Amino acid sequence: MPGAHRFRAMPIYVYETMGKTKRRFEVKQSMKDAALKHDPETGEPVQRVITGGYGLIEKGKGKTGGKPTSSGSCGSGCGCH
């Protein structure tokens, strides 16, 4: 489609080190990439942390011009905003 913008989101995953001192960090990875097993900075073993989802607001879409509605930014009434 001419003039159409392609949005390619790359998920951001949260990891936590499993040593005595916990450290959380985020890594932008493709969904096809394997989960990290070690912290890229320290080499410590890590586990992926399950976190909440995210929302996406496109400007100019919908009745509110891209602004969150009173039922939340996703419009489903989930209370995410």
Side-chain angles (χ1 to χ4, degrees):
M1 227 163 127
H5 297 283
R6 288 186 80 181
F7 179 74
R8 299 186 90 199
M10 185 81 92
I12 297 176
Y13 293 101
V14 177
Y15 288 90
E16 182 176 78
T17 58
M18 295 191 296
K20 284 184 180 180
T21 306
K22 304 282 187 199
R23 180 177 91 85
R24 283 193 172 188
F25 59 96
E26 298 176 340
V27 177
K28 190 182 291 188
Q29 293 179 288
S30 168
M31 292 175 72
K32 297 176 186 175
D33 293 342
L36 295 181
K37 295 187 185 292
H38 296 91
D39 183 337
E41 290 184 18
T42 66
E44 286 185 78
V46 296
Q47 62 185 2
R48 192 180 281 174
V49 178
I50 305 297
T51 61
Y54 69 94
L56 174 66
I57 300 173
E58 293 184 41
K59 289 188 178 190
K61 299 284 183 186
K63 294 184 252 178
T64 61
K67 294 179 183 174
T69 63
S70 60
S71 63
S73 66
C74 67
S76 69
C78 69
C80 60
H81 285 270

